[in-house]
Amino acid sequence: INAEYGGDPGSMEPFAERMGAPRDDTWLYHADFPCPPLSDEEVPKLDRLRESTKDITDVTLTDFLLVKFLRARDNKATKADAMLRTAIELMKKEKAFKPMLVDYQPSEALQKYLPICNHGTDKEGNVLLWGKIGRMDNTGYVRVVTKTDYKRLMVWGTCHAMSRARESGNLNAMRTEIFDLEGCGMDLVTSGTMNLTQTGMQFLEAFAPETVSKIVILNAPGFFNILWTMMRPLMSARTANKIVVCGSDYHETLRELVPLEYIPACYGGESEKFPDFFNLNEKILIPESAYTQDVETGETICVGRGSSHQVDLELTKEELAAGNNVLMWKFSTVDYDISCGVYWKPSGSERMSKSEMEEVHENTRYDSHLCPEADQVVCTKPGVYVIRFDNTYSYVHSKTVTFEVSFQPNVVMDYTGAAAEK
């Protein structure tokens, strides 16, 4: 395979070459983008949204940004206002503000094993993201990529595309995504990959609406209706209407959207760029030696079926003043998934229910039996922070959890493995 290009079976060009370097620190909430053209209906709705969001100071509310949220909610200013406020809170929880975007690099596993590529623009000037989804090792992928990894990749990829479009002069930049499903099997549904994908889609819909112009599916398999049933409830009607599904008769659709010079030769176009990537006809197999290892040190607990377990860590005023206020955690489970969230309660409090505590990090269900989950949150006030392992949804299985939790000095996490002082 790929012998004519001197490659190995399942090899691709390096990630940095396929994706290209970000041109600047552009992101969705950028002050330099002009307002896109508005319809007569949108003008008064934007005025209303602009007025109702005057109190928001966490980000620069440009008309470009407000229009994105307004259109995502079908020009309903009240709903757009609520969506924007939710997105800002989500950014805080997920540490998706500008400093992380400037410094972040996708994990080694994403760079080596995720078959995606930025190449060319469509006829409207939108950056093209190509994905050879049928060549993913779905069983291995969920062993090396966590939900946290994937959500951060969604943010990085969106900002990356906008940066490239902005450089080319397209100041109303969106992204067109083209996914080739040739070679997909049912492991795409059964391996846990769909769970990751669903998480990413929900996150992107909430955080960065109206950043995708169109999604084109090539070589849709016979079981695509199952995939569609799983994915459709996560999309707004506006997003669902942007999806074009093709079987093997995709050539005319591609030519309508993409200039021939950017359509790879293997898809009937003229481009010879990234031959190793576009001519993949084997899966990018992930060696078991690359699988993320389970948490082997720390405390091990059993969370009974239908129950939860709370781990309390107190942050004193002195520790907060000294800057030792970053709560870090890592955990893995045996055989089954579990939910985890972080909460706050006053010092001296007895055990409290989830509804009685203040949520700090959203309770989320993790496939931690496949890949250990690790994250952090900056704590802003003294009190007791509660790591809550939640198994209340399971009435059949108890869950064995091994975890490490601690307060650390306030640093910006470098997800490539190093750390830089804040």
Side-chain angles (χ1 to χ4, degrees):
I1 175 172
N2 295 339
E4 63 186 297
Y5 302 112
D8 296 322
S11 68
M12 299 182 287
E13 290 83 2
F15 184 84
E17 184 180 338
R18 282 182 282 123
M19 298 302 291
R23 305 308 203 262
D24 53 30
D25 60 1
T26 297
W27 67 324
L28 175 64
Y29 299 80
H30 201 288
D32 290 352
F33 289 103
C35 181
L38 302 176
S39 67
D40 292 340
E41 178 190 4
E42 289 175 328
V43 171
K45 299 294 180 66
L46 177 59
D47 290 339
R48 181 179 171 186
L49 181 59
R50 197 186 292 122
E51 183 66 27
S52 70
T53 56
K54 280 184 175 179
D55 62 305
I56 296 177
T57 58
D58 297 284
V59 297
T60 302
L61 294 183
T62 63
D63 286 350
F64 171 85
L65 176 64
L66 294 176
V67 168
K68 294 283 186 185
F69 282 88
L70 187 64
R71 289 175 175 172
R73 286 296 175 262
D74 298 319
N75 292 329
K76 294 179 173 61
T78 301
K79 291 185 177 181
D81 182 307
M83 183 185 186
L84 176 59
R85 294 175 190 276
T86 300
I88 292 171
E89 291 304 310
L90 183 61
M91 281 196 300
K92 293 177 182 177
K93 290 180 180 179
E94 297 294 339
K95 298 172 286 296
F97 279 108
K98 197 169 182 178
M100 191 278 284
L101 297 175
V102 173
D103 300 330
Y104 169 79
Q105 281 295 314
S107 68
E108 182 180 358
L110 285 167
Q111 294 193 37
K112 290 181 67 174
Y113 305 120
L114 181 61
I116 59 174
C117 175
N118 281 327
H119 174 51
T121 56
D122 65 15
K123 292 182 178 179
E124 296 179 355
N126 300 309
V127 171
L128 293 172
L129 174 71
W130 303 80
K132 302 279 285 189
I133 306 305
R135 303 312 177 197
M136 286 177 58
D137 176 6
N138 294 299
T139 300
Y141 190 66
V142 295
R143 297 280 185 172
V144 297
V145 177
T146 68
K147 286 185 177 181
T148 301
D149 289 335
Y150 201 72
K151 286 191 287 188
R152 291 195 174 104
L153 178 71
M154 295 293 101
V155 179
W156 181 85
T158 299
C159 300
H160 197 302
M162 296 182 73
S163 170
R164 295 172 66 88
R166 184 166 175 258
E167 185 193 50
S168 68
N170 181 2
L171 296 184
N172 188 24
M174 299 178 79
R175 183 174 66 232
T176 293
E177 301 174 342
I178 302 174
F179 299 126
D180 185 353
L181 272 55
E182 183 180 14
C184 278
M186 284 300 293
D187 62 339
L188 181 62
V189 178
T190 60
S191 65
T193 301
M194 286 301 295
N195 193 6
L196 274 179
T197 304
Q198 289 171 326
T199 298
M201 287 188 61
Q202 286 177 308
F203 182 67
L204 203 58
E205 282 265 313
F207 167 77
E210 293 299 297
T211 54
V212 175
S213 172
K214 195 172 290 294
I215 300 173
V216 183
I217 306 296
L218 312 180
N219 295 307
F223 61 87
F224 184 79
N225 60 320
I226 299 175
L227 300 179
W228 184 250
T229 300
M230 297 174 69
M231 303 302 290
R232 177 60 184 88
L234 307 178
M235 308 175 196
S236 65
R238 189 179 180 92
T239 298
N241 289 334
K242 296 178 180 180
I243 298 177
V244 178
V245 181
C246 307
S248 57
D249 55 343
Y250 56 78
H251 298 87
E252 183 178 349
T253 299
L254 267 186
R255 287 193 291 268
E256 289 177 356
L257 293 172
V258 183
L260 278 176
E261 63 183 295
Y262 293 132
I263 299 177
C266 61
Y267 295 135
E270 299 174 351
S271 176
E272 297 288 348
K273 200 168 183 181
F274 304 125
D276 288 352
F277 171 79
F278 283 113
N279 290 289
L280 281 173
N281 54 22
E282 294 287 342
K283 288 188 179 294
I284 305 294
L285 295 177
I286 303 174
E288 291 188 13
S289 60
Y291 289 2
T292 306
Q293 300 300 308
D294 291 342
V295 179
E296 296 179 349
T297 60
E299 184 177 348
T300 299
I301 58 172
C302 180
V303 185
R305 56 189 184 183
S307 66
S308 64
H309 181 89
Q310 297 184 7
V311 181
D312 292 0
L313 287 91
E314 183 162 7
L315 178 65
T316 65
K317 292 181 179 179
E318 292 74 20
E319 288 173 320
L320 180 61
N324 296 318
N325 62 323
V326 178
L327 177 59
M328 294 186 174
W329 64 93
K330 181 177 182 180
F331 64 92
S332 62
T333 50
V334 179
D335 295 332
Y336 306 106
D337 63 4
I338 198 164
S339 291
C340 180
V342 181
Y343 302 85
W344 177 90
K345 64 182 181 181
S347 297
S349 302
E350 298 294 327
R351 179 186 172 97
M352 301 171 68
S353 67
K354 178 175 70 171
S355 61
E356 294 175 312
M357 296 185 289
E358 178 183 324
E359 184 180 79
V360 176
H361 191 281
E362 184 179 11
N363 187 52
T364 305
R365 193 164 168 175
Y366 296 103
D367 291 325
S368 48
H369 60 304
L370 300 176
C371 188
E373 188 69 32
D375 210 340
Q376 68 175 21
V377 66
V378 177
C379 302
T380 58
K381 59 183 177 181
V384 177
Y385 288 83
V386 181
I387 307 287
R388 182 177 181 273
F389 294 105
D390 182 358
N391 194 35
T392 56
Y393 60 87
S394 177
Y395 292 96
V396 178
H397 300 293
S398 297
K399 309 294 174 63
T400 300
V401 185
T402 301
F403 65 90
E404 300 173 1
V405 294
S406 63
F407 282 112
Q408 298 292 332
N410 197 344
V411 298
V412 175
M413 184 180 287
D414 179 346
Y415 296 93
T416 61
E421 287 191 359
K422 187 172 182 180

